[in-house]
Amino acid sequence: MSELISYQLEDGIATLTLANGKVNAISPDVIAAFNAALDRAEQDRAIVIVTGQPGILSGGYDLKVMTSGPQNAIALVAAGSTLARRMLSHPYPIIVACPGHAVAKGAFILLSADYRIGVEGPFNIGLNEVQIGMTMHHVGIELARDRLRKSAFHRSVINGEMFDPQGALDAGFLDKVVPVEQLQETARAAALQLKKINMTAHRNTKLKVRKALLDTLDAAIELDKQHLV
């Protein structure tokens, strides 16, 4: 697919691996590659596994782009938010196999998936926007409000609290935590289990369950385009 996101199809399972520098920064090119990979996975009618490099899923948006000017930042966030919405409404299940850190947009990738597996270790998962001087965007607030447990929502979004993998499991960023050497086999087992469900029923039920969220995100994307983030 791209050197930024590799695509491997095996047994009806498409594995998308992010590889963009040490922190897998989410840039406009990464988002374009991500969308192209999802296009291909949809054509292949494949269950999707999204993963990263050893120790990290993603550290968030590319700061070079975010600091290059307000319009560039707004455009990048809008593209990332549109990707999150697409993941939430993707017609086939999306699993994230998180190999370590998942910060800011990296954590939002977790919140946009159907099933999330993390690994044990000294890793940080969460939304650090207010720590680095960014007011949380509307889409981020609404996505976190919907997917995080109520007890963790304010701590995460307003306080910028970061979680270790077990804390991230409790907060709602992850569904399961395994030893790092078991990550890929656990993700594959989850994908094989999901292959057994009826995909038409999965798609239609997903859209019903998430209709209010998707409508809210559509409005939030437009709001974020009108304001600096």
Side-chain angles (χ1 to χ4, degrees):
M1 287 298 302
S2 159
E3 70 253 12
L4 297 174
I5 296 188
S6 65
Y7 184 97
Q8 180 181 2
L9 181 67
E10 183 178 356
D11 297 330
I13 301 167
T15 300
L16 283 53
T17 304
L18 282 67
N20 185 27
K22 288 183 178 180
V23 299
N24 276 344
I26 305 299
S27 65
D29 287 342
V30 169
I31 291 172
F34 208 133
N35 276 306
L38 288 178
D39 287 342
R40 183 170 171 184
E42 191 168 344
Q43 291 171 359
D44 289 334
R45 303 174 65 85
I47 309 292
V48 174
I49 296 174
V50 178
T51 192
Q53 302 174 75
I56 190 161
L57 178 65
S58 174
Y61 285 125
D62 189 330
L63 290 180
K64 290 181 181 177
V65 178
M66 293 296 289
T67 58
S68 65
Q71 292 307 314
N72 290 338
I74 289 172
L76 179 55
V77 170
S81 296
T82 302
L83 174 62
R85 190 207 185 281
R86 179 180 185 178
M87 290 177 66
L88 287 161
S89 57
H90 190 70
Y92 299 94
I94 295 179
I95 297 164
V96 176
C98 179
H101 301 293
V103 179
K105 183 57 181 177
F108 282 124
I109 290 173
L110 294 173
L111 296 182
S112 304
D114 299 307
Y115 192 70
R116 299 82 45 88
I117 307 162
V119 295
E120 298 168 352
F123 300 116
N124 289 317
I125 296 173
L127 308 173
N128 71 336
E129 279 79 353
V130 298
Q131 289 188 25
I132 61 173
M134 292 179 62
T135 299
M136 183 67 77
H137 56 306
H138 290 93
V139 167
I141 291 169
E142 297 305 332
L143 187 51
R145 191 197 311 276
D146 186 85
R147 301 301 306 270
L148 292 180
R149 291 186 172 85
K150 188 173 289 188
S151 59
F153 169 63
H154 289 270
R155 289 160 53 200
S156 179
V157 174
I158 298 175
N159 298 353
E161 182 176 337
M162 303 299 291
F163 301 90
D164 62 17
Q166 185 59 50
L169 178 68
D170 296 337
F173 286 103
L174 297 172
D175 297 300
K176 191 171 191 175
V177 175
V178 299
V180 64
E181 64 272 13
Q182 295 178 18
L183 177 63
Q184 294 307 318
E185 65 180 85
T186 303
R188 179 172 171 78
L192 290 172
Q193 184 64 35
L194 284 168
K195 280 186 70 176
K196 298 176 182 179
I197 66 177
N198 181 287
M199 292 303 156
T200 300
H202 167 80
R203 180 188 70 234
N204 292 341
T205 302
K206 179 187 289 187
L207 292 176
K208 272 188 178 182
V209 168
R210 294 181 178 160
K211 183 181 187 306
L213 173 61
L214 295 172
D215 290 346
T216 297
L217 293 183
D218 286 338
I221 288 169
E222 294 308 311
L223 270 178
D224 286 330
K225 289 178 181 177
Q226 299 167 25
H227 301 282
L228 300 183
V229 293

